[in-house]
Amino acid sequence: MSAPGEVMETEFKTIEGTSPQFRILLGVLVLLIIAGLWSSWVMFAQGLYVTGMNNRVPWGLQIIMAVFYVGLSAGSLVISSLYAIFGKKEYKPFARISVSLAILFLVAALLSIILDWGRPDRIFVPFMYFNPISMFTINPFLYISYILICSFYLWAMFKERDVLIKILAVVAVTWAIGVHSGTGMIFGFVPRELYQSALLPPSFIAAAVSSGTAMMILVILGLFKFTRRPLDHDLIVRLGRFLAIFIFGVLYFIAVENLYRWYLPQSREAALFFLFDGVQAWVFWLGMILIGSIIPAFILLRRRTGQSIPWIVAASVMVVFGVLCERYLIVVPGQTYYPHLFPGFEITRSVVEEGIVAYNIGFLEIVQAVGIFAIIGLVFVLGLKTLKLLPTEARA
Amino acid sequence: MSTNSRGDGKATGTMDRRKVLKAGGLLLGAPACACALPAFGGERSGAQHGSDVPHWGMVVDVTKCREGDGCDACITTCRVENNLPPLENPATDIHFIRKVNIRRKHAENAVETTVPLLCNHCDNPPCVQVCPVRASFQRADGIVMCDPHRCIGCRYCLIACPYNARYFVYGGSHDEEQSNPTLAKRSHGVSTACNFCAHRVDEGGTPACVEACRQEGGGALVFGDLNDPDSEISRLVAANKARGLREDLGTHPKVYYIGL
């Protein structure tokens, strides 16, 4: 037991990685990776008609996942910032996992984007012929530099260089804000009714912080349970309270955005389509609002449930699900809703789909997304075995 | 009492200052670079009267479009000229020129009008603005094209175009003979769009659809040089009879419509 006022030094240790469950986990991940690579090969060799995407909805699951991963990446940095910037030593045990996941989630985002291209074999072309004002150039620049900064940040943590850690934490968080705003601008700066919005960059940050915190709660609980290392539940309860606040941040931006679109006559039809017509109405009200925001907020704010780990786990899973729904709502309705070519007129006959269309996620897209998740999963668990990422214990 | 972890006797203060300066440089440098980014948008090329370089545009007179007679000369000729694959699925078919029927909403007995639609070759093209590799670009003569050898297939141009004018080659097996063997074969995985038949225009001709409409159709399509004030197209546009689609979006389309 430590004396009052004396800070326990956190000791980090690798995991053994020899148990049968661990080996099975590795095997499963490798199989999923192979499946993902196979589906990517089919898409590349045969063309993207094997997916659910089409000329009206050219961006599908991989773009949804890329945006989701970017959010998780910045959000997981929140916990390391509590320690590195705000000096809350009780979160130091989670700092290294937090930064490693920030790196890995962004790698997953880049993989999702690159494997979504029609010609991923032309990977070097963007480096040679980039267009500096395209959001698809600015963002990979931000993503790659962010990965480098976070890697440097993680290295500083291994070396216990406290001052460097603090500076890099500030740089990393600043960069994360840039990364997120940039990702929001990919959609927000495009002249489509359900994309064009100045609120998208800041609302991305809100969703990132929310999903990242929820994911970190789940990862931390899972890791400490799987490795049977002691974890003070009070730390998780505190993170749960932060999560409740972040949920309201997301709700605020969603509310303002939809109110704005509904209020203005020019966007009212699009707003009503988004909220009440089609599959995304279900995803919005049931997936994002009810399951993703209201129920978890209720759970986390009520004294009895907000202090119980199983309830916090349920709430965190719901929040992650809700943000995934929100990413779907950012990417897909903007495409399924039609651009108004002739205001005041209706198109009575067309050869391409000129009206409202649907997007059905293809099986190969799901296999590819699972494969990408398995890649970073494999790197992460192998990292736990080779690097001292996990602390021996976490006490409040 | 904590000793300096470096153990070299230097006070920790001096190393901290250097690191703060480095970090500060990074923090200031990043937004400075962002500010140095060139102006977002702005006209890529505009019409310049009297210039040697032509500025190609088109006028579509929907009152002359003979759709009622079952005429689709522009469409069939375009498909043959540009090796467009046979129609299979409205969701993924490629159309360089297509026709829609429109009817005014909230009006009793509103008439239907047939409107040919194609790439508007905007002077402020959103597709060019968003292309990460500049495969989508605008030539000096105003034609907007997509280089299929550079395109990485990210489909951002499809997202950015407000006119549904950009198409992605989704693939599927198309092993039939090319209808126009003078053009390079189109691979899947890249973006494509109408390019005003640049291969014909560069030889002094006009796009295939314009010629077909003149010969077989109602002569609804007029192609010409907006830089030449005496050309038919310039006179039509200057007489304020024609307007582009959704000009409020600031794209400055160069396909003007009469009768809409």
Side-chain angles (χ1 to χ4, degrees), chain A residues 43-51 53-60 63 116-120 122-123 125-126 128-138 149 160-161 163-164 167 170-171 174-175 185-187 189-192 195-196 269 335 338-354, chain B residues 5-6 16 19-20 23 26-27 30 37-41 44 67 89-95 98-105 112 114-115 117 126 128-134 147-156 158-164 166-173 187-190 245-246 249 260:
Chain A
M43 287 186 208
F44 174 61
Q46 295 196 22
L48 290 182
Y49 80 98
V50 300
T51 69
M53 296 183 279
N54 51 60
N55 279 314
R56 281 290 312 281
V57 188
W59 279 355
I63 300 293
D116 182 58
W117 292 350
R119 295 300 302 261
R122 292 181 178 167
I123 179 71
V125 173
M128 290 152 53
Y129 298 113
F130 61 88
N131 171 10
I133 63 171
S134 164
M135 286 302 159
F136 260 20
T137 298
I138 296 171
I149 289 170
E160 305 273 2
R161 306 267 282 265
V163 175
L164 190 58
I167 293 169
V170 172
V171 173
T174 310
W175 224 258
M185 288 178 198
I186 291 174
F187 303 91
F189 286 21
V190 159
R192 274 177 186 258
Y195 274 359
Q196 184 176 336
E269 186 188 311
Q335 302 170 71
Y338 55 98
H340 290 283
L341 289 174
F342 306 101
F345 289 77
E346 55 177 340
I347 294 182
T348 50
R349 189 210 61 167
S350 63
V351 293
V352 305
E353 318 266 0
E354 302 276 5
Chain B
S5 61
R6 291 174 61 82
D16 291 349
K19 283 182 190 134
V20 169
L26 252 171
L27 273 171
L37 285 171
F40 286 70
R44 245 142 248 298
E67 171 71 10
N89 178 359
T92 53
D93 286 334
I94 301 171
H95 300 262
R98 67 192 195 275
K99 287 198 198 163
V100 299
N101 281 3
I102 62 172
R103 183 175 61 205
R104 182 164 276 291
K105 292 198 240 187
E112 276 198 6
T114 302
V115 184
L117 293 174
V128 174
Q129 193 179 25
V130 299
C131 179
V133 294
R134 286 179 281 157
D147 180 353
H149 304 295
R150 193 188 281 190
C151 176
I152 55 176
C154 73
R155 312 189 290 292
Y156 204 177
L158 273 81
I159 296 278
C161 176
Y163 302 109
N164 285 344
R166 293 300 291 251
Y167 295 83
F168 183 74
V169 187
Y170 281 91
S173 57
S187 77
H188 64 245
V190 296
L245 295 178
R246 294 301 306 275
L249 293 175
L260 268 189

Side-chain angles (χ1 to χ4, degrees), chain B residues 105-118:
Chain B
K105 292 198 240 187
H106 316 302
E108 286 286 319
N109 305 318
V111 297
E112 276 198 6
T113 308
T114 302
V115 184
L117 293 174
L118 62 158

Side-chain angles (χ1 to χ4, degrees), chain A residues 54-380:
Chain A
N54 51 60
N55 279 314
R56 281 290 312 281
V57 188
W59 279 355
L61 182 65
Q62 303 314 334
I63 300 293
I64 296 172
M65 294 308 293
V67 174
F68 182 59
Y69 284 130
V70 173
L72 289 177
S73 171
S76 38
L77 219 53
V78 167
I79 291 185
S80 71
S81 313
L82 288 173
Y83 155 64
I85 301 181
F86 299 105
K88 290 186 181 290
K89 292 261 190 298
E90 62 269 24
Y91 295 106
K92 184 176 176 185
F94 311 135
R96 295 185 189 186
I97 316 165
S98 159
V99 178
S100 331
L101 283 176
I103 297 169
L104 287 176
F105 280 136
L106 211 46
V107 168
L110 281 169
L111 277 176
S112 300
I113 293 172
I114 292 169
L115 289 176
D116 182 58
W117 292 350
R119 295 300 302 261
D121 57 312
R122 292 181 178 167
I123 179 71
F124 290 112
V125 173
F127 294 97
M128 290 152 53
Y129 298 113
F130 61 88
N131 171 10
I133 63 171
S134 164
M135 286 302 159
F136 260 20
T137 298
I138 296 171
N139 274 283
F141 162 73
L142 288 171
Y143 297 170
I144 293 172
S145 46
Y146 177 76
I147 288 174
L148 293 172
I149 289 170
C150 286
S151 304
F152 192 22
Y153 183 17
L154 186 63
W155 174 86
M157 283 187 185
F158 282 129
K159 297 291 176 195
E160 305 273 2
R161 306 267 282 265
D162 289 331
V163 175
L164 190 58
I165 289 173
K166 183 157 187 164
I167 293 169
L168 287 172
V170 172
V171 173
V173 168
T174 310
W175 224 258
I177 292 174
V179 162
H180 273 67
S181 305
T183 309
M185 288 178 198
I186 291 174
F187 303 91
F189 286 21
V190 159
R192 274 177 186 258
E193 291 219 36
L194 291 173
Y195 274 359
Q196 184 176 336
S197 165
L199 272 186
L200 223 40
S203 92
F204 260 63
I205 294 176
V209 163
S210 173
S211 61
T213 305
M215 182 61 92
M216 281 303 294
I217 288 175
L218 296 171
V219 167
I220 289 168
L221 283 170
L223 281 178
F224 277 80
K225 185 162 174 149
F226 192 58
T227 56
R228 278 184 281 260
R229 297 187 188 184
L231 169 65
D232 195 332
H233 285 175
D234 197 45
L235 290 170
I236 301 296
V237 171
R238 281 183 226 167
L239 288 178
R241 273 187 228 131
F242 278 123
L243 184 56
I245 299 170
F246 297 152
I247 293 173
F248 285 111
V250 176
L251 279 178
Y252 170 72
F253 281 108
I254 302 297
V256 173
E257 180 95 82
N258 283 286
L259 197 62
Y260 164 81
R261 284 195 186 126
W262 172 82
Y263 198 92
L264 287 172
Q266 72 197 44
S267 47
R268 185 167 304 156
E269 186 188 311
L272 292 173
F273 161 75
F274 178 81
L275 291 172
F276 301 117
D277 178 21
V279 80
Q280 81 280 340
W282 285 99
V283 177
F284 181 80
W285 292 108
L286 188 62
M288 190 175 75
I289 298 293
L290 189 64
I291 298 178
S293 309
I294 295 183
I295 296 180
F298 194 63
I299 290 174
L300 292 167
L301 291 173
R302 271 187 73 209
R303 259 188 81 86
R304 195 172 63 84
T305 49
Q307 288 179 350
S308 143
I309 291 297
W311 279 107
I312 295 178
V313 167
S316 301
V317 169
M318 286 188 227
V319 168
V320 171
F321 173 72
V323 172
L324 190 57
C325 291
E326 196 235 354
R327 300 321 193 181
Y328 172 90
L329 291 166
I330 288 168
V331 173
V332 176
Q335 302 170 71
T336 56
Y337 188 72
Y338 55 98
H340 290 283
L341 289 174
F342 306 101
F345 289 77
E346 55 177 340
I347 294 182
T348 50
R349 189 210 61 167
S350 63
V351 293
V352 305
E353 318 266 0
E354 302 276 5
I356 292 174
V357 295
Y359 165 62
N360 301 307
I361 300 179
F363 172 69
L364 283 175
E365 296 173 75
I366 297 176
V367 173
Q368 187 180 55
V370 169
I372 292 171
F373 186 72
I375 290 176
I376 57 162
L378 185 68
V379 173
F380 184 57

